[in-house]
Amino acid sequence: MSHRNRGLRRVAAVASISSLVAGCGVFSSDASGHDAPIVVGTTSAPSSLDPAASWDGSWELFRNIYQTLLSYPAGATAPQPDAARACSFTDASNQTYRCELRPGLTFSNGDPLDAQAVKHSIDRIKRIDVNGGPAGLLGSLDRVQAPSAREVVFHLNKPDATFPFVLATPALSLVDPGDYPADALREGDSVVGSGPYTLRAYRDGERAELVRNDHYQGFAERRNAAVTIRYFKDSAGMVKALRDREIQVTYRGLAADDVIALQSSAGEEKDLQLVEGTGAEISYLVFNPKDPWAGRKPVRRAIAQVIDRTTLAHTVYQDTVEPLYSMVPKGLTGHTTGFFDTFGDPSADRARRILTAAGITAPVPLTLWYTSDRYGSETAAEFAEIRRQLEKSGLFTVTLKSRPWKAYVEGYQKGAYPVFGRGWSPDFPDAENFIAPFVGEQNALGTPYDVPEITGDLLPRSRRESDRARVEREFERAQRILVDDARLLPLWQGKQYVAVDADISGAERALDPSTIMTMWQLSRKTSW
C-alpha cells in the first residue's frame, strides 16, 4: 500500500453508489486482526453512549457497536433479522409481533443476550423517558414479554405495520442488564454491546476506537479488523486530515466547497474517490409555540412566504442540496410540494399582507438558533442567509445565536429557543418517519406539537397498511396540515457524499437505508 502524500486535487472519480458497486467489489482485505485501523472522519459526534438517551446522530456509532433485533444487510430496504433469527406479526391486525433470537448470543463481556435482556433494553427506554429521546418511537408499544429464553413478544396498543422498522433503528439497541440500569442512564465512556465491534477507547468529541467483537453473531461480514472514528469541528479540519493521510474516509460534514473541488478535479489523479449517493437527509426550522412571536401562526406563515430555498441551495450549498417543500423528501411515497403550492415564490409583499391582516405592522423581532458543530461548515452561512432574506423584507429583525451540539440539544429540549434549526436523517425509509417523530406530546424535538388529526387518525390509519405504497393519501393530508400550521419549515434535502482514499474499498456499500455508515463494509485493497 502506497503512503505518498496526496492532495485534494487528485481524485479518481465521482460516481453514484449504484455504479461503483461492481467495480469495487473485486478487492478484499484480510480482516485477520493484523490490519491497521481504517480511520473515518466525520463532523457528527455522539451526544451520548447510552441508546436510551438519544434520538440523533449518536446512532451512527450505535449501529456499529450495538446490535438490534432487525437491521439492514447490504442492499436491503426492509428490515432483516440480526440478533433475531426470525420475526413476524402473529395476527392479522398488526398488533402482536414475535421474535426468536439466535441461539448462543452474548454481549461483548460474555454475558448472555437472551429474551430478558431484550425486554430490559426496551423497557428502560420507556421508563427513563428522556425528553426528546427515543421513547417517542415507542408510542404504539404496550408491553414486552419474554415467554422463554429465546422468544420475545411485543404487544402493541394499536396496529402498527412500521414497528419492524422501529426495531431496526439503533434506538432499540440491545444492552446488558448488568451494566445498564433499568431506571437511569449509564454513565462513563465505556460500552457493553453485542454489535460487530467493541468500543476499545473513546474521547468525547475527539475519537472512538472500534475493534472486532469476537462474541458477535449477526449478518455483518466484517471486512476489517478495526476502525477509528475521528470527530472534527468542521469540514476544513477533516479535509486537511484527509490530505495528510491521517484519515482514509470522510463521512458526514463534507462542505459544499470541498465537494465542488473534488467534482471539478475528477479524473486528474487516481488517488481519491468521491462517492455520491441519494440522500434523505433534510434541514428544517422549528418554531416554539410558547414564544410570543414564533408561537403566532401569521408570523410563521410570513416567514414561510419570505424564505428563498433556491437561493439557500445555490448560494450557500452550491447545489449540493435541493430545495425542499415538504417534510417528506423526494423519493418516498407521500412526498409533496405543499409549501410551494401554498406560498409560491418568495414574496415580501404577500408576507406583509399576512402580518397586516393579523394586526402586526412593526418589524417582528426573532432570535434564530443553530448548532455550531453538527450539520456541517455551511450552517453558519445558511443562517446568515436566512437572516439576510428576512431582514431584507423589512418585516423582521433577526438575532443569530449558536451553541455546540450537546448544549444546543439541552436548550431546545427545555424549550429555550424561539426558532431553531434541525437536521433529520431517517430512522427508516418511510414517510411515517418524517412526520410521526415531530408530532405529539413526546417527539424528537422536545417541543410538544398536538395535532389530533395526524396522531389520532392519519398515522393510525396508515399503520394498518403493510403495503406502504398504499398510504399516499394519508401522508399527503398530514403534510397539508403541517403546511397550514407552519410549525416546521422544510428548507432543503441533501445528497450523501463520501470522500475515500483510493486504497479503501466498500464505501459505496457502507451506507444503509437511513444513511448510517456500516463500518464493517470498509476494507483495504490488497491488489491493483
Side-chain angles (χ1 to χ4, degrees), residues 236-295:
M238 184 166 64
V239 166
K240 183 179 185 302
L242 183 70
R243 179 189 294 121
D244 294 343
R245 299 297 306 280
E246 295 174 5
I247 64 175
Q248 289 83 52
V249 183
T250 69
Y251 175 33
R252 291 198 190 277
L254 197 62
D257 284 344
D258 296 323
V259 171
I260 298 302
L262 289 167
Q263 289 174 333
S264 64
S265 59
E268 290 183 7
E269 298 278 350
K270 295 184 176 180
D271 289 328
L272 291 176
Q273 293 178 337
L274 184 67
V275 178
E276 177 182 328
T278 301
E281 176 187 5
I282 68 171
S283 177
Y284 58 99
L285 296 179
V286 183
F287 295 90
N288 187 339
K290 295 183 179 180
D291 182 76
W293 290 108

Side-chain angles (χ1 to χ4, degrees), residues 29-38 197 210-213 222-227 522:
S29 172
D30 173 19
S32 62
H34 301 294
D35 292 352
I38 294 173
Y197 300 95
L210 281 56
V211 296
R212 173 189 289 265
N213 174 14
R222 291 161 293 188
R223 293 176 165 85
N224 58 68
V227 172
L522 302 174

Side-chain angles (χ1 to χ4, degrees), residues 175-211:
V175 297
D176 187 346
D179 283 270
Y180 291 75
D183 55 2
L185 296 176
R186 187 179 192 273
E187 298 180 357
D189 290 339
S190 62
V191 161
V192 179
S194 61
Y197 300 95
T198 60
L199 187 63
R200 180 172 62 185
Y202 181 77
R203 295 188 66 178
D204 186 24
E206 295 184 21
R207 68 174 57 222
E209 297 179 14
L210 281 56
V211 296

